[in-house]
Amino acid sequence: MKTMDKKHFEQLKKKADGILNQKSDGVSAREIMAQVYVDSLPDKSIEQGLMMADKALEAIVDFNKTYSDALDNKEGTVKKLMNQILAEKDLVGRCNTLAALYAGISVADAKMSGEDIAECDEIIKDADEEKITENEATQELESELKEKVSEALKNSAILSRGLIRQADYLDDMMEENGISQMVVRIGEDEVEYEGILTMVGYVESKTEEISEIPPDVTIEETAYIVAATMEEEQIIKRYSAGEIAMNVAVACLDVLGTVLLLKLALKIVLAGVLMATGICGVIMAIPAVLLLTIGIVGAVWEAVKVWDKGANTVINIVASTVKVSVRSTSLAMRKIGEFVTETVVPVAVSIVKRLKDYFNKITSKKERVILNNTI
């Protein structure tokens, strides 16, 4: 995703200024979100906007609660999420869902690592179309696939490994638009702030030429990614302030990334769409939404600066903001990103080849079953 240009940034600043105006006048975040939706998508009604706002706010509360639970008990929370993903499926359905989830996460990782796109797409297609049959599905295969999903989640490190790219984006945005501070929270209710960011980000993805974001990304998926971005910023802020050590920051990012991927997977399963294709597509959209959210946060800070110099009517909003230096954030992101790249996440060696070998092994099992049945 290219850096947000000056014109786009100025448009967001105006939108942020208007949002703070409404906020200071006592308009609820839900109503502000609905108005942003209608203003950006003229064919939509305010009732539809309120419905979308409710979906976003519910998704944010749900995500933040799940992440909090995972910090206390990662293994238990991951198990709970996996059970929700596999709920009400028989053995064949569970094996197919796990195989598609493994392929989707791994292929997204392969694409972001620069591996052959055509081969990646072929694996995704096979994972969604070449279903595991009743003869192939066994308890042993299900356990094996669960291990594969766990391995894929661990290796993806979708948030921590992307920090260097985010740092580059921040540096470019700072140079292009002259920002020096960002706002990580506005007001006492962080859910409201994240909700407004979600709606702005969602309509931006629908109206701007952001090729990295698929047009079918939902408001809930956007909400999950925005909530994860805000939590990531908090982790970076705490690390840069010396409140937590490097290993703690990386561990928190690992938990956050795992929760994000599994929440997205659950949403895709409940929507009843192709699992491998869906999870790969939304994972590929994560970096773009992360960067878009960072850009929006920078624009909101510019609006807050205006209010900080005047109007007492919004002093309660300004007083409760968390302001972070863009430079210190960028440096902390880069430092953690380099640490992860060098020590925590080894460079993936031919993810596509490993995937092909594994799925070929499953195919060969199928062939043996067919052969035995004909003897």
Side-chain angles (χ1 to χ4, degrees), residues 340-356:
V340 169
T341 300
E342 294 170 5
T343 63
V344 178
V345 182
V347 177
V349 179
S350 189
I351 299 171
V352 170
K353 183 179 185 304
R354 285 191 282 109
L355 276 170
K356 277 189 171 182

Side-chain angles (χ1 to χ4, degrees), residues 198-214:
T198 295
M199 188 59 80
V200 175
Y202 178 74
V203 298
E204 283 278 308
S205 74
K206 303 303 176 189
T207 57
E208 294 294 326
E209 292 298 322
I210 305 172
S211 59
E212 295 94 334
I213 303 178

Side-chain angles (χ1 to χ4, degrees), residues 248-298:
V248 175
V250 172
C252 288
L253 287 168
D254 174 57
V255 172
L256 184 60
T258 298
V259 170
L260 176 58
L261 290 180
L262 289 177
K263 292 299 291 184
L264 291 171
L266 177 58
K267 178 68 179 63
I268 288 166
V269 166
L270 293 176
V273 299
L274 293 175
M275 182 62 166
T277 303
I279 192 67
C280 180
V282 78
I283 291 172
M284 293 299 291
I286 288 173
V289 179
L290 286 173
L291 298 181
L292 176 62
T293 304
I294 291 172
I296 296 168
V297 169

Side-chain angles (χ1 to χ4, degrees), residues 102 105-116 119-120 123 148 151 155 161 346-359:
Y102 170 49
I105 294 173
S106 300
V107 167
D109 195 31
K111 284 186 175 182
M112 286 189 282
S113 298
E115 295 198 36
D116 187 271
E119 284 192 302
C120 288
I123 290 174
K148 291 293 183 182
E151 177 189 330
N155 289 339
R161 191 152 55 181
V347 177
V349 179
S350 189
I351 299 171
V352 170
K353 183 179 185 304
R354 285 191 282 109
L355 276 170
K356 277 189 171 182
D357 289 346
Y358 182 72
F359 281 103

Side-chain angles (χ1 to χ4, degrees), residues 4-16 177 299 302:
M4 187 178 296
D5 61 33
K6 191 75 173 177
K7 181 180 178 182
H8 190 181
F9 190 77
E10 290 297 327
Q11 290 172 346
L12 275 184
K13 282 169 62 176
K14 289 180 181 178
K15 187 175 289 186
N177 298 295
E302 292 294 314

Side-chain angles (χ1 to χ4, degrees), residues 60-77 81 190 227 231 252 255-256 259-260 263:
I60 290 164
V61 170
D62 177 44
F63 182 88
N64 289 340
K65 172 68 165 56
T66 305
Y67 173 60
S68 177
D69 291 344
L71 286 177
D72 292 333
N73 180 5
K74 180 184 177 183
E75 185 177 339
T77 303
L81 288 169
E190 67 184 56
E231 291 301 333
C252 288
V255 172
L256 184 60
V259 170
L260 176 58
K263 292 299 291 184

Side-chain angles (χ1 to χ4, degrees), residues 17 65 67 72 94 107 134 139-141 150 155 158 161 166 173 192 194 244 265 271 299 319 332 343 348 357 359 364:
D17 185 61
K65 172 68 165 56
Y67 173 60
D72 292 333
R94 294 196 301 273
V107 167
E134 190 172 346
Q139 296 287 348
E140 179 185 7
L141 179 59
S150 177
N155 289 339
I158 191 68
R161 191 152 55 181
Q166 291 180 59
M173 190 175 70
E192 290 188 356
E194 291 177 2
I244 58 174
T343 63
D357 289 346
F359 281 103
S364 67

